[in-house]
Amino acid sequence: MCPKKLKLFVKVMEAPVIGSLIASHLKEKNGITEILKNTVIPEVPMFIPQFPLQEPEPGVVCLEEDGKPEERVDLALKCLPHYDPTCRWSSDSGELFQFRYWKIRDYGYAYRSKLTTPSMVAEHFISAMEVFNSKQQSAPLLISFDTEEVRRQAAASTQRFVEGKPLSILDGIFIAVKDDIDCYPHPSKGGSKWFHEVRQVKADGVSVSRLRNSGAILVGKTNMHEFGMGTTGNNPNYGTPRNPHNPKRYTGGSSSGSAAIVASGLCSAALGTDGGGSVRIPASLCGVVGLKTTFGRTDLTGSLWEAGTVTIIGPITATVEDAILVYAAISGSSPADRIRLNPSIPCLPDLYSSESSNILGSLALGKYTKWFNDVSSTDISDKCEDVLNQLFHLYGCKTTEIVIPELRELRTAHTVTFGSESLCLLNPDCEAGKGVRLTNDTRTNLALFRSFAASDYISAQCLRRRIMYYHMGIFKKVDVIVTPTTGMTAPEIPESALAVGETNLQVVASLMQFAMTANVLGLPAISVPIGHDKQGLPIGLQLIGRPWCEASILRLAAAIEEISAEYRKKPVEFYDILKGKSNFNSFHD
């Protein structure tokens, strides 16, 4: 849609009478009216995910909900496979010919061996950001960034290493935070131009505080699709981040800057929020790892989505083991969620144990072939299928055919639920006159969301319970549901969309189609990079687990990552901040 037509469409959608008629037509055309109004739904509403008791996971290490984050991280470190620094640092290592990201443990080894310091890496980071911003002025990864604040944190970390008292393996690790999670003293704008004017940040969000207590260097706030209402990462307010594998392509959203800054090598990890795939979609499109935890597993306090029922805070990392370390730091339910959700104790897979391979082989995988193959290119489904075959041949993981009913109803339940919760967040300020300062994309979505009635919301929650019932039945037969992460690889960025945004419902549907299940039902899920399509664009495989069973999907993800390691490619836009700008090619080419 051209800029003029898009602006006209927004005005028409917001018009009192004709806008309602158009919204009604769109809902009728997409089957929403039929599902919500013209069908009797006998189930009682499920306003938050409610799970039956689950069997304990085998071969795990349990974390204390109220334990210190740095102690949980140290426990997670002991769960990881043996670390051999010679394999990562030796100049004659065969791995020189295979691209691999530096892991958090690589940074830890470099700091403890006095090969470098957090302050030295901070200077590399700042220099790399200056180079990046000069090359891509209209596509910032960070929309709030203070060089002196980064230097101050790095100096404190460096001093701890001098004294031999690092807080954890995360000490000195560079981590970015999505712009809808509080990270003091940065404002939280949600990717907008004005939200910081009505909501001040006075402290870190809980997840950010846990990372800070573990010694992480928090570099600033990442760009995002405005208020998470899109899957591409398009943001005319600050500029649209470009995919590190192809600058003409989207990163995916809404955690666009978080995925891109990790994929570019500038940060080992970043926090994102996931209300409809917003961690997993950009992770998949950028070729990195994105973990969505069980709803309530991480504390939403200090984020824009504290009152949400489909959104979580989760890590985007370069590797699965880094996801385990960051997850260990930020895990822990809020006091309120412990009462209403009754979560099981958070656990990690003991990958160090000799029994890990046997446990892996006992995992039953579920695949709904009709859904699995519903992708824009067979490059995606073929690559995912190949990984499943390798899991069977190497570990004995069997794939069972399953059927997942009412996927269209699930999409409707998600649209109404996420839309209603977004409207609750923004409508008071929109009514006060701030709405005209939103992007065209956000305004279009809000106009549609306003057309939902209270009865639509109740019907969506009834559907939610029924769909939960179906999935709990499936999880009696399998441990993990496997799908591609997205129905397409990174879409092209239309030139006209950079200035005014765009509304492309086909792209939105294709990117979200596999992701929404985990949000509607609150299930844990992870996206793992498994290779590239014929255009060199990353492909992700998604694992959806039982409630509270993050350990199982992390164990399987680690095996998939190892299987797919040889297919990983260096992004076109990449920075080696551990060794510095002058060493870009010394390890990663």
Side-chain angles (χ1 to χ4, degrees):
M1 192 179 294
C2 72
K4 288 184 178 179
K5 288 183 178 179
L6 179 58
K7 289 180 179 179
L8 178 61
F9 181 69
V10 170
K11 289 183 178 180
V12 171
M13 281 291 291
E14 292 178 335
V17 178
I18 193 170
S20 298
L21 292 174
I22 293 174
S24 296
H25 172 71
L26 290 173
K27 290 189 292 183
E28 187 81 35
K29 184 178 179 182
N30 288 279
I32 294 176
T33 301
E34 177 190 355
I35 292 169
L36 297 178
K37 294 190 183 300
N38 300 339
T39 303
V40 176
I41 307 171
E43 288 78 12
V44 297
M46 185 179 74
F47 295 103
I48 58 169
Q50 295 175 329
F51 312 119
L53 290 175
Q54 300 296 311
E55 291 291 325
E57 298 171 280
V60 299
V61 174
C62 296
L63 305 174
E64 288 188 33
E65 284 266 18
D66 294 318
K68 294 181 179 179
E70 59 269 33
E71 293 176 352
R72 291 201 300 264
V73 171
D74 284 344
L75 195 57
L77 189 61
K78 296 174 183 176
C79 296
L80 301 180
H82 174 68
Y83 175 76
D84 183 359
T86 60
C87 292
R88 304 288 296 179
W89 291 84
S90 174
S91 60
D92 59 356
S93 169
E95 289 188 359
L96 284 167
F97 302 101
Q98 180 178 308
F99 171 70
R100 291 198 177 187
Y101 284 97
W102 291 116
K103 298 189 292 187
I104 287 172
R105 286 198 285 179
D106 294 323
Y107 282 86
Y109 173 79
Y111 294 154
R112 286 162 177 78
S113 303
K114 296 180 170 53
L115 297 173
T116 188
T117 68
S119 287
M120 292 170 66
V121 176
E123 294 306 317
H124 297 161
F125 175 82
I126 291 167
S127 296
M129 287 300 301
E130 290 173 350
V131 171
F132 179 90
N133 290 334
S134 66
K135 291 170 64 177
Q136 297 199 34
Q137 295 180 12
S138 63
L141 301 178
L142 293 174
I143 57 177
S144 183
F145 171 51
D146 184 336
T147 57
E148 293 310 309
E149 174 66 14
V150 171
R151 288 188 173 111
R152 184 192 64 76
Q153 293 178 71
S157 178
T158 297
Q159 184 60 33
R160 290 193 290 270
F161 279 101
V162 169
E163 296 171 357
K165 298 178 180 179
L167 297 175
S168 76
I169 194 66
L170 294 183
D171 209 332
I173 301 302
F174 289 69
I175 297 180
V177 179
K178 188 178 178 182
D179 193 40
D180 57 359
I181 308 169
D182 293 346
C183 179
Y184 187 81
H186 302 278
S188 291
K189 305 174 185 177
S192 75
K193 284 289 192 178
W194 56 267
F195 201 67
H196 60 293
E197 298 171 4
V198 299
R199 181 184 179 277
Q200 291 187 340
V201 174
K202 298 180 180 179
D204 288 334
V206 170
S207 57
V208 173
S209 175
R210 289 170 177 170
L211 290 173
R212 200 186 293 276
N213 289 340
S214 302
I217 296 172
L218 303 165
V219 301
K221 305 299 288 295
T222 57
N223 204 344
M224 62 177 284
H225 206 116
E226 188 180 58
F227 292 114
M229 290 191 206
T231 58
T232 60
N234 181 292
N235 189 326
N237 293 326
Y238 296 99
T240 297
R242 309 305 175 89
N243 195 308
H245 290 269
N246 185 333
K248 295 182 179 180
R249 301 275 176 163
Y250 279 122
T251 58
S254 62
S255 306
S256 50
S258 290
I261 204 167
V262 172
S264 298
L266 288 161
C267 286
S268 296
L271 289 185
T273 55
D274 192 316
S278 291
V279 161
R280 291 158 290 151
I281 291 169
S284 177
L285 268 52
C286 291
V288 289
V289 176
L291 173 65
K292 180 210 171 288
T293 59
T294 307
F295 178 77
R297 179 65 87 195
T298 52
D299 195 330
L300 284 168
T301 304
S303 75
L304 272 56
W305 307 104
E306 287 184 42
T309 69
V310 296
T311 302
I312 60 91
I313 293 173
I316 296 175
T317 59
T319 67
V320 173
E321 77 164 54
D322 289 353
I324 291 173
L325 293 171
V326 177
Y327 165 63
I330 68 173
S331 65
S333 304
S334 70
D337 281 340
R338 286 182 217 177
I339 295 172
R340 61 181 184 161
L341 296 174
N342 191 28
S344 63
I345 297 173
C347 298
L348 300 174
D350 188 356
L351 302 179
Y352 190 81
S353 168
S354 58
E355 290 297 308
S356 187
S357 291
N358 293 334
I359 295 169
L360 181 66
S362 69
L363 292 177
L365 314 183
K367 172 192 169 193
Y368 182 22
T369 299
K370 181 180 177 181
W371 192 34
F372 190 96
N373 292 338
D374 186 16
V375 291
S376 63
S377 167
T378 54
D379 289 355
I380 298 172
S381 52
D382 288 349
K383 200 73 179 176
C384 292
E385 188 70 49
D386 180 58
V387 170
L388 298 184
N389 290 333
Q390 290 190 64
L391 283 171
F392 174 72
H393 291 301
L394 291 172
Y395 300 103
C397 299
K398 294 181 180 178
T399 301
T400 301
E401 182 67 21
I402 59 174
V403 175
I404 305 176
E406 300 195 5
L407 288 171
R408 189 177 69 153
E409 285 79 358
L410 184 147
R411 289 192 293 270
T412 297
H414 178 269
T415 300
V416 175
T417 305
F418 177 77
S420 299
E421 292 173 1
S422 300
L423 197 60
C424 281
L425 171 70
L426 295 174
N427 208 49
D429 296 309
C430 290
E431 292 296 319
K434 301 287 188 182
V436 294
R437 297 173 64 184
L438 294 168
T439 62
N440 293 316
D441 192 15
T442 305
R443 289 170 68 177
T444 300
N445 283 317
L446 289 177
L448 175 62
F449 298 157
R450 287 189 187 99
S451 73
F452 294 134
S455 59
D456 295 333
Y457 182 77
I458 299 298
S459 295
Q461 308 321 303
C462 294
L463 287 172
R464 204 173 182 184
R465 184 175 296 279
R466 186 162 77 205
I467 294 164
M468 176 71 83
Y469 174 81
Y470 292 144
H471 280 75
M472 292 306 101
I474 291 169
F475 280 124
K476 290 178 181 177
K477 303 173 185 176
V478 301
D479 300 292
V480 177
I481 297 172
V482 291
T483 74
T485 306
T486 59
M488 65 188 303
T489 51
E492 288 189 30
I493 305 174
E495 192 66 32
S496 60
L498 294 174
V500 298
E502 67 168 331
T503 297
N504 188 326
L505 297 181
Q506 281 188 316
V507 167
V508 170
S510 185
L511 291 176
M512 289 182 70
Q513 69 185 71
F514 299 111
M516 287 180 284
T517 295
N519 298 102
V520 171
L521 305 181
L523 302 173
I526 190 169
S527 177
V528 191
I530 58 170
H532 299 76
D533 66 7
K534 292 183 178 66
Q535 300 177 84
L537 299 171
I539 296 170
L541 178 68
Q542 178 181 229
L543 311 173
I544 304 173
R546 289 185 175 128
W548 311 119
C549 292
E550 284 83 3
S552 293
I553 60 172
L554 286 166
R555 187 189 305 277
L556 188 58
I560 292 169
E561 181 179 58
E562 189 174 346
I563 288 170
S564 307
E566 63 181 292
Y567 305 114
R568 217 154 182 194
K569 294 180 181 179
K570 179 179 177 180
V572 174
E573 193 72 51
F574 184 81
Y575 301 86
D576 181 348
I577 68 163
L578 181 54
K579 286 194 171 181
K581 182 180 175 182
S582 60
N583 294 298
F584 280 169
N585 301 325
S586 63
F587 177 76
H588 293 279
D589 277 347

